[in-house]
């Protein structure tokens, strides 16, 4: 072997060592990932058994109900008294509307911000 061929072989051996170390590091990362996944899965609650799965209601599947709803009126406060806060209003229920007509946006209004219409003028 001459000196020129030894100089070419030295970087090749170093490169093999670096590739081996990188391969071992990748395998260690993959093994650590599997180990972490198994620990997380072990701590989770067990999956529901078939008899614990949701069941269809006795009357069959639930159907969509379309109806207009009206909100409850906000109580008026006499002049000079403390204004209402959201905490004073509690749970404001809605009720079915007597009108069957669906509410529409006013003519010329886009109906939403940036909807492309001219808006109400």
């Amino acid at each position: 072997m001459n000196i020129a061929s030894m100089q070419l072989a030295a970087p090749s051996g170093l490169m093999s060592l670096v590739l081996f170390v990188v391969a071992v590091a990748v395998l260690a990362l993959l093994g650590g990932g599997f180990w972490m996944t198994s620990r997380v899965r072990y701590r989770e609650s067990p999956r529901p058994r078939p008899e614990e799965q949701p069941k269809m209601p006795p009357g069959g599947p639930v159907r969509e109900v379309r109806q207009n709803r009206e909100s409850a009126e906000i109580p008026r406060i006499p002049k000079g008294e403390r204004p209402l806060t959201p905490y004073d209003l509690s749970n404001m229920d809605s009720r079915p509307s007597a009108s069957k007509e669906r509410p529409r946006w006013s003519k010329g209004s886009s109906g939403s911000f940036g909807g492309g219409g001219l808006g109400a003028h």
Side-chain angles (χ1 to χ4, degrees):
M1 235 197 222
N2 60 19
I3 293 187
S5 66
M6 287 182 74
Q7 287 176 344
L8 290 176
S12 172
L14 183 62
M15 183 61 98
S16 297
L17 180 64
V18 168
L19 287 175
F20 177 75
V21 169
V22 168
V24 168
V26 168
L27 286 174
L29 283 172
L30 286 172
F34 281 115
W35 177 73
M36 287 282 293
T37 302
S38 67
R39 287 192 59 196
V40 168
R41 205 172 267 172
Y42 179 75
R43 284 185 274 164
E44 288 178 349
S45 58
R47 294 201 170 120
R49 295 186 307 270
E51 60 271 5
E52 296 173 338
Q53 296 291 331
K55 305 267 187 285
M56 189 176 301
V62 178
R63 302 285 183 227
E64 179 180 340
V65 175
R66 287 190 158 219
Q67 58 177 290
N68 296 332
R69 309 252 338 146
E70 293 178 355
S71 59
E73 294 293 323
I74 296 176
R76 299 236 180 238
I77 302 300
K79 209 169 198 165
E81 289 195 21
R82 181 180 64 83
L84 291 175
T85 63
Y87 303 107
D88 296 330
L89 295 176
S90 70
N91 187 11
M92 300 294 288
D93 289 333
S94 64
R95 62 184 179 279
S97 173
S99 170
K100 297 299 179 196
E101 184 178 321
R102 291 180 54 202
R104 298 288 181 189
W105 299 107
S106 55
K107 193 168 179 99
S109 172
S110 66
S112 65
F113 178 75
L118 296 174
H121 292 315

